[in-house]
Amino acid sequence: MMIDDDLESGDLSTSAFSQEGSGESPAEVDEGQPNHASKIAVQENKAVGRSRFIMLLVLSCAAVGAAVISFVFTVKAEEDDFEAGFRSVVSEVDAVINQNADNMIRAFRQFSVAVTSYAVKTDSTFPMVTIPDFERRVDALKTKDKHDTSGPISVTFLPVVRDMNERILYEQYAFLNAPEANKESQIVTGMEPNTGEYVPFIFQFVGEGDNSTILPSGPDGPWIPLYQTSPTLPSAFFINWDTAVYPWNMRDLMVMDETKSAVMTEIFDLTSLLSEEDQTNHPTSVFNEPIMTNFSTNAKVGGMLQAILSWDIFFKNLLPDGTPSVYAVVRNTCNQSFTYEIIGSEAFYLGEGNLYRFSDHVDLKKTIILEAFHPKDELNLDLCAYSVDLYPTNSMEESYQTNARFLIAGIILLTFFFTTITIAVYDLTVKRRQEKVMQSHTKTERIIDSFFPSQFRERLFEEDSDSKGEGNGDWRANKANVEIKNINSTGKQDLPTHEDIPELSMKKPVAEYYDSTTIMMADIHGFTAWSSVREPSQVFTLLETVYHAFDELAKRRRVFKVETVGDCYVAVAGLPDPRPDHVLVMARFAKECLHKMGHLTKDLEVILGPDTGDLSLRIGLHSGPVTAGVLRGDKSRFQLFGDTVNTAARMEGTGERGRIHLSEETGKELVKFNKGHWIKQRSDLVVAKGKGHMSTYWLDPKLRSAASVSGKDTSQNSSPSADKDASFIKTGPSKPVPSNEDAKMQRLIGWNTDVLGRLIKQIIARRDAQMKLGRIQQVGTKQSPVLAGQPAGSMVLDEVKEIIHLPAFDAVVVENQAEPSAITLDEEILGQLKALVGAIAQLYNGNPFHNFEHASHVTMSVVKLLSRITTADALAERKKDENGEEDINAHSLHDFTYGITSDPLTQFACVFAALIHDVDHTGVPNAQLVKEGAHIAKVYKEKSVAEQNSVDIAWNLFMNDNFLDLRMSICRTSEELNRFRELVVNGVMATDIVDKELKALRNGRWERAFSEQANPESEYDALNRKATIVIEHLIQASDVAHTMQHWHIYRKWNQRLFREMYEAFLQGRAEKDPSDNWYEGEKGFFDFYIIPLAKKLKDCGVFGVSSDEYLQYAVQNRKEWELKGAELVAEMLKSFRDQGLIPGGKAQEQPEQAPPPRQSSALSLNNKKEQQIV
């Protein structure tokens, strides 16, 4: 056998073979399908024929039955609808007529109180009172809306004169004032002046008609003279006419003296009291409202407001036009009644008495009690109480009736038509069902093929066929029978019973022994920590992409993929078809997987975020015998057993990232094939669980990589010493980013650009919807919005807002918003965005901790927390209820999340603030800059120096003219630009966690926002206050997110921060050695800052499961640090000594002289560095 001499070569033409190497062609697999399909078709056609006959019989009977039942139910439904419609009309009439009556009484009572108040205020004594603006006040009583026409025909003020002294005074007062008072009403109404002679005393008419004369009223009071009236009387002759001649007026006065409440009289013919235009033969009543002399409890009635009411006005506009007519019979306890017919908004008087003549609907009568006209008859004077009886009319019943005979005939025709359609649909359904059975069979076969090698698959179905007594029948037909049985079953899976266990144990196991195989186990190093900071969708994107690529390589190499367990990929060569070169095939396959992983993770970093490119495989290989077979039972799988599997797992577990670890047996197998130059013995012995000390090998990483097939050379030494996370790399804050980091930097720039680009798409989608609905105007000219000016001498810190007002949620805009993913950003905008992110990256110094990579890590945390907030936008599609009315749930959800994720610009500002928050950081804390007297410390008055500097530099960059198109796509108006600035400033300034004064202010704002005590501010301000402080804490938590993530993530950034601070100490830029208190300081940092901050995230209640996740990791890391922290600090110090950074170290030659204090960038783009970037 000729075998190629390098690791990358090998015959790849075997891709034509099946994965397990059975050599079985697709044509052979499909060969049995026609017979299988024919059998299913014959069986199904017989069943369909029987079903068709039964179905026709049933449907014919159903058609006849439906005709009869429909007739009965239709009649009953019409009657029910008719009665329900009548009840609805009654309810509406009841509500409107009582409301109108209440409104009228309330208006008269207010009028009465106003007159009493006027008399008290002017020290006037009844009956010597003139009501000012009487005509206008009465006109207000008559002015009603379209639903309330219960205004009076006329209103008269009748003063009550109780004794002769009052009468004398009143007559003198009336002589001087009455004509003028009525003259004022004439001027308002435009009537001609009064005609007739004024009578200067209270009088009565004696006699009838033309023979009547006037005489002074008798000497016994009380007297009730007519004083003011509206409409104004055409003649002054009627002034002082004594209305006490009407017995009902005296009776009502007695009742009002006793009850101090209004009285409604019986029905009278008051034609003589009305003008010609108001005269009618329709029923009218008098309504008397008392006017009290004062507001004391013993006050008397000083006068009456008397209104003449036509009952017509109570029944007009009660119902909408088009409403079926009803009869209304008004009756009172004085044995009076009269009938109206109400047709929509009109009412027609039919006559006296109960004129309802439709006996069929008498039982549907509904009585409405007019509560407003139920008098307080405390003197037993037989006052009248009113009620209204409502009856349906024949026209109303007819409006609910349908042509039943045509309906029944139509139902019968439709039933037979439906029968025909049903048969056709049924036939089509059967055909499709047959197709689905075939498709299901094919899919099932493919799935089984992927799980089991062909030999084991055939044995499984042969065993099933033998157990059913079907001899040597075609196994595919047997499997199809099983599938059909499952389709026709109830869907429950048959589980083995106690009786089945002996039978199962007596069956021959489906297993084989292979004496020569090579097993590979490949684990993704760093996956657990990486996945802890990602969304589930991102985790599966990585695994599916990587494992699919491995599957394709396995097919080419004829390697059998066994399974994936978590992030571990298990494959074997040498089975199911034995092959002598299994170790060569697996070595090549492992090397290809290693390099494919390297390429994919770096490509995916642009999509999945920071650290994705750092993921690598840890691969272990072992060669030896193995038992392979199918464990029958629930969810059967093809599995491998034996010591070879365990040893392969040990090789993987004791290996190193980016390397292929071989057992001694595998190394010897390679030597047999003259491939000893492929391997290199490991310098140390491996201690493996259950194996003791083992001598192992590395597959030599210096060999040419498999990627050379595609013209790429990505070989590199992936030993732990090359892992910058496991050991320190000597860099300094003033040095540029190392060149070997450029590729990773570009990937980080690409990822940040992608994140910000998606948010810009959301902003554009929201703005387009607002313009479409006319919420905002389109900006005509391409001109950058202007930022609101700041007072001279102000700093960034002065711009921190107590409350940032976010836009209110608009469900209509969200509903009309296009899908953001469908929007394509202009090349100009996309180019400017990438240039901006790249410029920001260059503004970061090469600090171990405060660098662009850490800013990207903070950005990733912000994005994750924002994605975990339940958004109102997500439920905008459900903002309407079943009646199409707007539901408040979407607004409630918006309020619950404080509107943070309802506004895309807010989200963009949060992410942008995270990206720039450490721009130009010098690698030393603010206190050190202040101590050194740095220029920027003086500029910013020694407060939040680094943070203010970052905002100024990044903002100046953002406002540069080179980014005008990008800026216009984010902020079209000055209002948006100002809000964006406020959010960025608050977000970045929140990352200053050292300044005690700022921390106290933030804590105070949190307490004010989430205190349970009553807050005097508006609901809108309270909501935005919470949003503002939650945004600050979101970015604040993200800035230290590594402490609330997986232990490995925490260790990585903790080491980098320690490195940064220790370098500053060695350079003379720190007073204390950070290692002296690093262990205790971290514990205090967790106890007094990290864990309380994580609890705040949970308490605010908007971050879903992420708040619990952050808190749990914080608590776990605190415990882990307490156990291991002291040892880790010692390890970090040892690493410094090994690198010669500490005196006495191995590489120490000469102590470096501490550089002079570094001055940070200036505050504008005049700085040389920033000019170069722009």
Side-chain angles (χ1 to χ4, degrees):
M1 179 184 297
M2 296 296 296
I3 301 199
D4 295 323
D5 192 46
D6 64 275
L7 182 60
E8 296 75 32
S9 63
D11 185 10
L12 300 181
S13 63
T14 55
S15 60
F17 288 88
S18 64
Q19 179 173 320
E20 66 278 2
S22 64
E24 186 178 81
S25 67
E28 292 173 337
V29 173
D30 297 336
E31 189 176 357
Q33 288 187 1
N35 293 333
H36 167 48
S38 299
K39 291 180 179 179
I40 295 177
V42 171
Q43 294 174 359
E44 291 297 317
N45 287 335
K46 291 180 180 179
V48 168
R50 290 191 298 269
S51 300
R52 182 182 292 112
F53 174 77
I54 296 173
M55 185 180 299
L56 288 175
L57 180 61
V58 170
L59 290 178
S60 298
C61 296
V64 176
V68 176
I69 294 174
S70 298
F71 176 80
V72 174
F73 277 92
T74 301
V75 173
K76 182 64 171 63
E78 290 175 354
E79 293 176 353
D80 292 342
D81 290 344
F82 164 58
E83 294 179 7
F86 176 65
R87 287 193 297 269
S88 175
V89 170
V90 171
S91 298
E92 188 167 356
V93 171
D94 187 359
V96 176
I97 197 171
N98 273 297
Q99 181 181 358
N100 289 347
D102 290 340
N103 291 342
M104 184 196 73
I105 293 176
R106 190 179 300 108
F108 272 93
R109 187 169 295 121
Q110 291 173 352
F111 193 175
S112 170
V113 170
V115 175
T116 302
S117 177
Y118 168 76
V120 172
K121 184 176 181 180
T122 58
D123 293 331
S124 301
T125 303
F126 284 94
M128 284 70 71
V129 174
T130 300
I131 301 175
D133 298 325
F134 182 76
E135 187 68 35
R136 290 188 178 90
R137 292 176 181 271
V138 173
D139 187 59
L141 295 176
K142 296 179 181 180
T143 304
K144 306 294 177 183
D145 59 35
K146 65 179 182 178
H147 297 296
D148 185 0
T149 57
S150 54
I153 298 175
S154 67
V155 178
T156 303
F157 170 47
L158 305 175
V160 177
V161 183
R162 296 187 177 272
D163 55 37
M164 186 56 70
N165 290 332
E166 283 188 357
R167 177 172 176 173
I168 294 172
L169 293 174
Y170 166 76
E171 289 178 344
Q172 295 174 355
Y173 177 84
F175 178 77
L176 296 174
N177 294 281
E180 289 299 322
N182 283 275
K183 183 178 180 181
E184 178 186 349
S185 296
Q186 293 165 6
I187 294 173
V188 172
T189 58
M191 292 181 59
E192 294 295 331
N194 282 332
T195 58
E197 184 178 354
Y198 169 73
V199 179
F201 53 84
I202 299 174
F203 67 92
Q204 296 178 354
F205 286 102
V206 178
E208 296 181 357
D210 295 336
N211 298 324
S212 64
T213 59
I214 62 172
L215 293 175
S217 295
D220 298 326
W223 303 275
I224 311 176
L226 186 151
Y227 185 69
Q228 288 176 277
T229 182
S230 174
T232 304
L233 294 175
S235 173
F237 180 76
F238 289 97
I239 298 175
N240 289 335
W241 171 42
D242 186 9
T243 61
V245 296
Y246 294 109
W248 43 267
N249 250 8
M250 293 299 294
R251 177 199 65 195
D252 290 356
L253 178 60
M254 293 173 60
V255 173
M256 289 186 291
D257 278 336
E258 184 67 25
T259 65
K260 297 181 176 57
S261 58
V263 180
M264 184 77 159
T265 69
E266 54 268 44
I267 298 169
F268 297 119
D269 180 8
L270 301 176
T271 305
S272 60
L273 300 181
L274 302 175
S275 61
E276 293 183 0
E277 63 181 12
D278 291 329
Q279 289 181 1
T280 176
N281 61 346
H282 294 184
T284 53
S285 295
V286 174
F287 176 80
N288 288 319
E289 174 70 31
I291 301 176
M292 309 310 295
T293 57
N294 54 58
F295 295 110
S296 64
T297 56
N298 57 355
K300 294 183 178 181
V301 177
M304 299 189 317
L305 288 175
Q306 188 172 88
I308 298 178
L309 305 175
S310 171
W311 281 92
D312 291 12
I313 59 179
F314 282 100
F315 296 103
K316 290 184 178 180
N317 294 322
L318 285 183
L319 300 174
D321 290 331
T323 304
S325 63
V326 295
Y327 277 89
V329 179
V330 182
R331 54 187 177 85
N332 57 29
T333 55
C334 299
N335 296 322
Q336 294 177 310
S337 63
F338 47 91
T339 304
Y340 282 90
E341 183 178 6
I342 304 173
I343 305 176
S345 60
E346 297 295 328
F348 300 94
Y349 177 63
L350 301 182
E352 294 184 12
N354 187 343
L355 303 181
Y356 185 69
R357 297 293 182 265
F358 304 106
S359 58
D360 293 343
H361 306 312
V362 172
D363 57 332
L364 297 179
K365 180 186 76 170
K366 299 294 180 182
T367 300
I368 299 174
I369 304 298
L370 299 181
E371 299 290 346
F373 299 149
H374 266 238
K376 300 178 181 178
D377 194 359
E378 298 179 2
L379 301 179
N380 298 321
L381 298 177
D382 297 329
L383 299 178
C384 297
Y386 286 87
S387 61
V388 178
D389 294 334
L390 293 179
Y391 300 90
T393 61
N394 280 350
S395 61
M396 184 178 191
E397 182 182 22
E398 292 171 357
S399 67
Y400 286 91
Q401 292 177 345
T402 59
N403 197 329
R405 286 176 294 179
F406 291 107
L407 180 61
I408 297 299
I411 290 176
I412 294 174
L413 292 175
L414 288 176
T415 300
F416 278 105
F417 178 74
F418 178 73
T419 302
T420 305
I421 296 298
T422 301
I423 294 174
V425 171
Y426 178 75
D427 286 337
L428 180 60
T429 302
V430 170
K431 181 179 178 182
R432 290 182 176 177
R433 182 173 179 272
Q434 291 173 336
E435 293 174 353
K436 288 182 180 180
V437 169
M438 292 298 299
Q439 292 173 359
S440 175
H441 163 69
T442 304
K443 290 179 181 178
T444 303
E445 187 173 278
R446 289 175 181 171
I447 293 173
I448 294 174
D449 288 346
S450 67
F451 281 120
F452 305 106
S454 59
Q455 299 95 319
F456 294 89
R457 179 187 63 209
E458 292 178 7
R459 287 176 58 181
L460 283 172
F461 285 104
E462 287 174 0
E463 179 185 271
D464 183 74
S465 175
D466 292 341
S467 65
K468 293 178 171 55
E470 296 183 3
N472 297 321
D474 184 13
W475 66 270
R476 294 183 180 84
N478 296 332
K479 184 176 68 172
N481 292 333
V482 175
E483 292 169 4
I484 296 172
K485 174 185 174 182
N486 290 336
I487 292 174
N488 293 327
S489 67
T490 59
K492 296 183 178 179
Q493 184 175 1
D494 295 332
L495 299 176
T497 64
H498 291 290
E499 291 76 9
D500 295 327
I501 293 176
E503 180 182 353
L504 184 63
S505 64
M506 293 300 293
K507 291 182 178 180
K508 182 180 179 181
V510 183
E512 291 289 345
Y513 178 78
Y514 297 88
D515 61 355
S516 184
T517 63
T518 299
I519 297 176
M520 182 193 83
M521 291 193 179
D523 184 77
I524 302 177
H525 182 272
F527 174 80
T528 303
W530 179 89
S531 62
S532 69
V533 297
R534 259 76 180 180
E535 292 294 307
S537 59
Q538 294 177 309
V539 174
F540 272 76
T541 296
L542 173 74
L543 293 178
E544 288 179 348
T545 303
V546 171
Y547 289 163
H548 176 72
F550 290 178
D551 292 343
E552 294 300 316
L553 293 175
K555 290 178 182 178
R556 292 168 58 194
R557 290 288 181 188
R558 291 174 55 197
V559 171
F560 183 77
K561 172 188 175 182
V562 180
E563 61 181 344
T564 57
V565 182
D567 59 322
C568 184
Y569 188 92
V570 183
V572 60
L575 68 79
D577 289 335
R579 52 189 301 176
D581 61 341
H582 56 82
V583 67
L584 296 178
V585 170
M586 188 56 78
R588 293 189 177 103
F589 175 67
K591 193 66 176 178
E592 288 178 345
C593 289
L594 186 66
H595 289 283
K596 177 63 73 173
M597 177 72 178
H599 293 317
L600 290 177
T601 52
K602 288 175 175 56
D603 292 340
L604 288 172
E605 189 163 24
V606 178
I607 301 174
L608 303 182
D611 301 330
T612 304
D614 295 335
L615 295 175
S616 181
L617 287 180
R618 186 177 60 227
I619 300 177
L621 301 183
H622 178 62
S623 302
V626 69
T627 298
V630 179
L631 278 180
R632 293 166 299 194
D634 188 23
K635 299 180 181 178
S636 301
R637 290 190 306 168
F638 179 76
Q639 292 180 310
L640 306 180
F641 298 93
D643 187 66
T644 301
V645 179
N646 296 333
T647 305
R650 301 294 182 267
M651 291 299 98
E652 179 273 318
T654 57
E656 295 177 355
R657 60 166 294 178
R659 306 193 77 176
I660 302 172
H661 195 202
L662 311 178
S663 67
E664 188 174 12
E665 289 77 4
T666 302
K668 291 179 179 179
E669 288 292 324
L670 287 172
V671 171
K672 288 181 183 179
F673 285 93
N674 298 320
K675 302 301 179 183
H677 60 285
W678 285 9
I679 62 177
K680 180 180 180 181
Q681 186 168 9
R682 185 168 179 169
S683 59
D684 57 329
L685 294 178
V686 171
V687 180
K689 180 180 178 182
K691 298 292 181 181
H693 291 80
M694 300 179 65
S695 177
T696 59
Y697 296 85
W698 299 113
L699 197 65
D700 193 345
K702 294 183 179 180
L703 290 176
R704 184 162 52 92
S705 70
S708 62
V709 175
S710 60
K712 296 181 180 179
D713 185 7
T714 61
S715 61
Q716 60 181 2
N717 191 330
S718 300
S719 64
S721 62
D723 183 6
K724 60 182 171 46
D725 296 339
S727 63
F728 296 114
I729 301 174
K730 186 175 180 180
T731 60
S734 61
K735 296 180 180 179
V737 179
S739 59
N740 60 357
E741 292 284 322
D742 287 348
K744 180 172 184 177
M745 181 67 69
Q746 291 303 317
R747 294 195 298 271
L748 290 177
I749 292 172
W751 177 77
N752 283 286
T753 302
D754 181 67
V755 170
L756 293 173
R758 291 198 301 267
L759 291 173
I760 292 176
K761 289 181 180 181
Q762 295 181 28
I763 294 174
I764 294 175
R766 179 64 55 83
R767 184 182 297 126
D768 289 346
Q770 290 174 329
M771 289 190 294
K772 176 182 176 183
L773 296 171
R775 300 288 199 272
I776 60 175
Q777 299 296 323
Q778 187 170 4
V779 178
T781 59
K782 183 178 177 181
Q783 185 175 1
S784 177
V786 180
L787 191 67
Q790 298 295 331
S794 64
M795 302 184 300
V796 174
L797 187 60
D798 300 328
E799 299 179 39
V800 175
K801 300 294 183 182
E802 181 88 6
I803 301 176
I804 299 176
H805 290 94
L806 305 184
F809 179 68
D810 193 332
V812 178
V813 170
V814 175
E815 182 184 16
N816 287 272
Q817 178 177 313
E819 180 62 34
S821 59
I823 294 177
T824 302
L825 292 180
D826 294 340
E827 290 296 329
E828 188 71 22
I829 295 175
L830 196 58
Q832 291 181 16
L833 177 61
K834 188 171 183 180
L836 176 64
V837 176
I840 291 173
Q842 293 183 52
L843 288 172
Y844 275 89
N845 296 309
N847 303 311
F849 183 84
H850 293 95
N851 53 32
F852 185 67
E853 183 182 355
H854 180 256
S856 299
H857 184 267
V858 174
T859 301
M860 183 167 59
S861 175
V862 170
V863 172
K864 179 177 179 179
L865 288 175
L866 287 174
S867 69
R868 290 294 176 90
I869 298 179
T870 306
T871 66
D873 297 15
L875 292 187
E877 295 180 358
R878 292 187 283 167
K879 73 179 190 307
K880 292 183 178 297
D881 59 20
E882 59 183 4
N883 296 322
E885 299 295 331
E886 186 171 325
D887 193 354
I888 63 172
N889 288 337
H891 294 280
S892 300
L893 185 59
H894 165 83
D895 294 345
F896 175 74
T897 58
Y898 316 130
I900 295 174
T901 56
S902 301
D903 177 36
L905 182 59
T906 300
Q907 299 177 56
F908 184 89
C910 292
V911 175
F912 186 77
L915 187 63
I916 69 166
H917 78 285
D918 277 335
V919 159
D920 199 42
H921 198 288
T922 59
V924 295
N926 288 331
Q928 183 64 28
L929 294 175
V930 173
K931 182 180 178 181
E932 294 173 355
H935 173 66
I936 58 173
K938 297 176 182 178
V939 170
Y940 296 116
K941 301 178 182 178
E942 302 181 352
K943 299 287 291 183
S944 301
V945 178
E947 290 75 18
Q948 295 193 75
N949 183 51
S950 296
V951 172
D952 274 335
I953 292 177
W955 188 262
N956 288 337
L957 180 65
F958 176 73
M959 295 300 293
N960 189 272
D961 290 341
N962 291 334
F963 305 117
L964 176 60
D965 295 319
L966 172 63
R967 195 163 57 250
M968 288 291 291
S969 68
I970 300 168
C971 306
R972 282 293 182 95
T973 64
S974 296
E975 178 186 357
E976 291 179 344
L977 185 63
N978 279 283
R979 187 170 79 254
F980 177 63
R981 166 83 178 189
E982 292 172 356
L983 289 165
V984 171
V985 168
N986 273 48
V988 175
M989 299 311 298
T991 61
D992 185 359
I993 63 176
V994 178
D995 191 298
K996 295 182 179 180
E997 182 180 347
L998 290 179
K999 181 180 178 182
L1001 291 174
R1002 275 194 300 271
N1003 291 337
R1005 292 205 299 274
W1006 179 278
E1007 291 298 326
R1008 286 191 294 275
F1010 292 98
S1011 175
E1012 296 182 357
Q1013 298 179 356
N1015 197 330
E1017 64 187 355
S1018 67
E1019 182 179 353
Y1020 178 66
D1021 284 344
L1023 186 70
N1024 284 288
R1025 179 186 294 278
K1026 291 180 179 179
T1028 303
I1029 195 65
V1030 167
I1031 288 172
E1032 291 181 2
H1033 280 71
L1034 180 151
I1035 299 178
Q1036 194 175 351
S1038 297
D1039 189 31
V1040 291
H1042 63 279
T1043 63
M1044 295 177 275
Q1045 292 169 349
H1046 192 274
W1047 170 251
H1048 291 166
I1049 302 293
Y1050 166 64
R1051 277 198 59 191
K1052 167 185 173 179
W1053 292 108
N1054 180 263
Q1055 288 174 346
R1056 293 190 177 191
L1057 181 60
F1058 180 81
R1059 157 98 183 174
E1060 182 172 296
M1061 297 184 70
Y1062 207 94
E1063 284 188 347
F1065 169 70
L1066 295 177
Q1067 295 169 5
R1069 304 192 73 186
E1071 293 182 356
K1072 298 181 180 179
D1073 184 344
S1075 64
D1076 293 342
N1077 192 45
W1078 196 261
Y1079 173 68
E1080 294 295 335
E1082 282 295 289
K1083 291 197 296 183
F1085 190 51
F1086 274 108
D1087 292 338
F1088 300 107
Y1089 182 73
I1090 297 301
I1091 294 177
L1093 179 60
K1095 289 180 178 179
K1096 282 185 177 181
L1097 294 183
K1098 183 175 181 180
D1099 292 342
C1100 70
V1102 298
F1103 293 106
V1105 297
S1106 282
S1107 56
D1108 293 323
E1109 176 187 337
Y1110 275 37
L1111 180 58
Q1112 290 172 6
Y1113 272 125
V1115 174
Q1116 291 172 5
N1117 289 338
R1118 167 64 170 83
K1119 294 179 181 178
E1120 196 82 6
W1121 178 260
E1122 187 171 12
L1123 294 174
K1124 304 177 181 179
E1127 180 182 349
L1128 292 175
V1129 173
E1131 289 180 2
M1132 290 188 288
L1133 287 175
K1134 181 179 181 300
S1135 178
F1136 265 63
R1137 292 190 183 94
D1138 292 344
Q1139 297 178 58
L1141 299 180
I1142 300 178
K1146 296 179 181 179
Q1148 179 72 20
E1149 295 179 357
Q1150 294 180 356
E1152 295 184 8
Q1153 185 177 358
R1158 181 182 184 277
Q1159 299 296 325
S1160 179
S1161 301
L1163 307 182
S1164 68
L1165 291 178
N1166 295 327
N1167 181 276
K1168 180 179 179 182
K1169 176 180 178 181
E1170 295 177 34
Q1171 289 176 345
Q1172 292 174 346
I1173 291 173
V1174 174

